[in-house]
Amino acid sequence: MDAVKVGLLGLGTVGTGTATVLTRNAEEIQSRVGRAIEISRAASRSITEQTVLNPSTTKLTTDLFDVVNDPEVDIVVELIGGDTLAKDLVMKAIENGKHVVTANKALIAVHGPEIMKAAAEQGVNVCYEAAVAGGIPIIKAIREGLAANKIQWIAGIINGTGNFILTEMRDKGSDFADVLKEAQELGYAEADPTFDVEGIDAAHKLTILASLAFGIELQFEKTYTEGISKITTEDMKYAEELGYRIKHLGITRKTDKGIELRVHPTLIPEKRLIANVDGVMNAVLVQGDAVGPTLYYGAGAGAEPTASAVVADIIDTVRTMDAPLNHKVPLLGFQNNAMRDTPILDIEEVETAYYLRMIAQDKPGVLAEVSDTFAKNSISIEAVLQKEPASGESSVHLIMLTQKCIESSVNQAIKAVEDLASVKGDVVRIRVEHLG
Ligand code: HSE
């Protein structure tokens, strides 16, 4: 049988990693698939000398459209990133009847509905395992391994850069800005770190997970996103005193009212396994009604971990490329005609617990006044921590953990507390999830 022909778009870190893994493990892969897989064409906007691809079998080009228009290519692997040129290339590849494998979470989260529709019309695969949590096979786990379950919720550390920064802040007591600089020097954070530290990258990934878990359309624009740039080492220390760690989580949960879809810093009990996932590593916790909690851990980025997912998608595609559509796993895990229009909840409607820190005057009656204000807004306090004033100071840090309540109520309560004469400045608020 002829080799399957792959066209590679992009020869950066992941493109080079993909070529390396496909070449190094060619024999192993052929034994699993029953056919050889060959990169027949590869494109990069600037071709520098590289040793991974064999020029006798791979034609190199600087025109990315050469790959998607090449009649020989069966599978186009998109690894250039971004969601403009990448979208044009992927749509053209689909129009030309080619299967697509991509590591591009922004592309899937933002343009997924259009891409999936075009792919369904053409009867081609669009695979995107590498788009979420790099090398962790979380798409396959949710779409296939957990297919018997009603998924109840997912909580994930799905951005390695942010997790590295929070881990370093906790371990070294360094400020966010200093650790961000260190992360940039180490090559973990981009020169413009906005996507990673403000949660946009995680929101792209969470959008995809929610769609797979609950059979809903990809709805990136409805994901609530809050970054980690305002987290202080002070709050990390207080959280630890209360038995929690601060992690940047993507959380999606099905409730009676709709689906929560949110990325934000979160206190989680330190005894949870996921609270101990440190550095650049990723982890995703999935709760199914039959299986209970399941945890997936691994490298969320990097050349070969990401290539591991890309190549697995190529293998899956080769195994099923000649099968009729109804013999394939649906691209988003649910049959097209069974997709649901469950509403996505606004953050104001979300129910969770809160860590609140405020600076209050150190005099009798202040704690009672603050507690009373929360009570009037129907907020129940779970725990209180009061720190001694520094010598010569008359203000104390007052830390409160609330029980679960609706976000709009906590917002009202915070406003009322900030209006008290005995409370100075803004109340710091971090959401708390027990993940039990
Ligand atoms: N920038 C991402 C992260 C890796 O830091 O996890 C690619 O998704």
Side-chain angles (χ1 to χ4, degrees):
M1 209 180 243
D2 284 349
V4 173
K5 304 273 195 296
V6 167
L8 197 54
L9 298 171
L11 284 170
T13 307
V14 181
T16 308
T18 298
T20 304
V21 173
L22 271 175
T23 310
R24 189 181 66 224
N25 295 346
E27 208 182 305
E28 190 84 358
I29 292 167
Q30 184 164 355
S31 310
R32 294 184 200 270
V33 183
R35 278 177 86 174
I37 298 172
E38 173 184 305
I39 302 174
S40 62
R41 195 140 198 178
S44 170
R45 279 165 286 190
S46 63
I47 303 269
T48 47
E49 207 173 309
Q50 53 82 37
T51 51
V52 190
L53 293 167
N54 179 351
S56 65
T57 49
T58 305
K59 284 183 266 176
L60 289 175
T61 170
T62 52
D63 184 349
L64 297 153
F65 282 91
D66 282 351
V67 174
V68 299
N69 289 324
D70 183 337
E72 271 215 318
V73 166
D74 302 298
I75 304 172
V76 168
V77 178
E78 183 280 304
L79 302 172
I80 62 166
D83 69 340
T84 46
L85 177 59
K87 183 192 167 200
D88 294 342
L89 288 160
V90 162
M91 291 301 281
K92 190 72 192 165
I94 293 170
E95 188 189 317
N96 289 341
K98 302 189 188 306
H99 301 284
V100 172
V101 171
T102 178
N104 191 332
K105 58 253 162 185
L107 179 75
I108 298 297
V110 178
H111 301 295
E114 196 184 338
I115 291 170
M116 302 297 175
K117 185 167 176 279
E121 281 163 14
Q122 283 287 358
V124 295
N125 267 3
V126 174
C127 301
Y128 48 91
E129 181 66 70
V132 183
I136 306 175
I138 190 65
I139 308 287
K140 203 170 194 57
I142 297 173
R143 205 165 57 176
E144 298 174 49
L146 300 178
N149 288 261
K150 282 185 189 156
I151 305 293
Q152 294 165 321
W153 53 262
I154 297 176
I157 296 173
I158 43 182
N159 183 271
T161 308
N163 201 39
F164 172 81
I165 292 174
L166 291 178
T167 305
E168 289 287 292
M169 285 174 71
R170 193 192 75 225
D171 289 354
K172 298 187 177 157
S174 311
D175 286 340
F176 171 83
D178 293 335
V179 180
L180 172 60
K181 200 159 159 276
E182 182 195 339
Q184 285 168 322
E185 282 160 9
L186 286 168
Y188 294 148
E190 307 278 343
D192 177 358
T194 314
F195 263 50
D196 288 324
V197 302
E198 296 305 337
I200 301 159
D201 175 80
H204 284 141
K205 296 167 180 167
L206 186 70
T207 302
I208 298 171
L209 293 179
S211 179
L212 290 166
F214 304 123
I216 53 171
E217 253 328 335
L218 294 147
Q219 295 168 76
F220 169 68
E221 70 291 349
K222 293 192 184 155
T223 309
Y224 173 80
T225 307
E226 191 180 302
I228 54 170
S229 52
K230 295 199 182 80
I231 296 294
T232 64
T233 49
E234 204 164 41
D235 288 316
M236 289 190 148
K237 273 190 239 132
Y238 295 152
E240 295 235 27
E241 281 183 45
L242 290 159
Y244 294 82
R245 293 213 170 143
I246 300 179
K247 292 289 180 190
H248 201 193
L249 288 192
I251 300 168
T252 184
R253 174 182 282 125
K254 192 165 189 183
T255 74
D256 292 342
K257 290 188 232 144
I259 289 168
E260 299 177 0
L261 199 49
R262 48 193 170 106
V263 174
H264 51 71
T266 314
L267 265 74
I268 45 180
E270 65 189 358
K271 64 182 180 205
R272 298 270 176 257
L273 279 174
I274 196 170
N276 295 281
V277 170
D278 286 334
V280 292
M281 300 307 278
N282 281 200
V284 185
L285 184 53
V286 184
Q287 171 83 21
D289 69 333
V291 72
T294 56
L295 180 65
Y296 309 83
Y297 168 88
E304 292 208 13
T306 311
S308 164
V310 169
V311 175
D313 272 350
I314 297 173
I315 292 171
D316 259 2
T317 299
V318 176
R319 281 174 169 158
T320 61
M321 60 202 295
D322 298 324
L325 207 56
N326 62 349
H327 287 206
K328 297 185 190 185
V329 179
L331 299 181
L332 286 169
F334 284 71
Q335 299 296 326
N336 280 343
N337 61 5
M339 296 292 277
R340 300 158 183 161
D341 58 1
T342 319
I344 306 294
L345 296 179
D346 187 87
I347 191 67
E348 290 262 322
E349 300 171 274
V350 160
E351 190 182 26
T352 185
Y354 295 84
Y355 161 102
L356 305 169
R357 174 171 61 80
M358 61 212 81
I359 298 172
Q361 282 176 12
D362 186 25
K363 61 174 196 187
V366 170
L367 184 56
E369 191 183 23
V370 170
S371 306
D372 188 46
T373 310
F374 282 118
K376 280 187 182 136
N377 286 280
S378 316
I379 311 288
S380 262
I381 304 298
E382 175 89 24
V384 178
L385 188 65
Q386 182 179 322
K387 305 310 284 184
E388 292 293 306
S391 80
E393 295 251 340
S394 61
S395 301
V396 289
H397 276 189
L398 209 53
I399 296 105
M400 294 184 161
L401 290 182
T402 75
Q403 291 184 352
K404 273 182 157 191
C405 47
I406 302 290
E407 178 115 349
S408 57
S409 310
V410 98
N411 285 343
Q412 275 178 21
I414 288 174
K415 194 168 174 317
V417 165
E418 286 172 346
D419 286 344
L420 295 174
S422 52
V423 171
K424 287 202 281 183
D426 292 343
V427 173
V428 170
R429 172 259 305 276
I430 307 175
R431 296 173 188 86
V432 180
E433 289 288 338
H434 292 99
L435 305 179

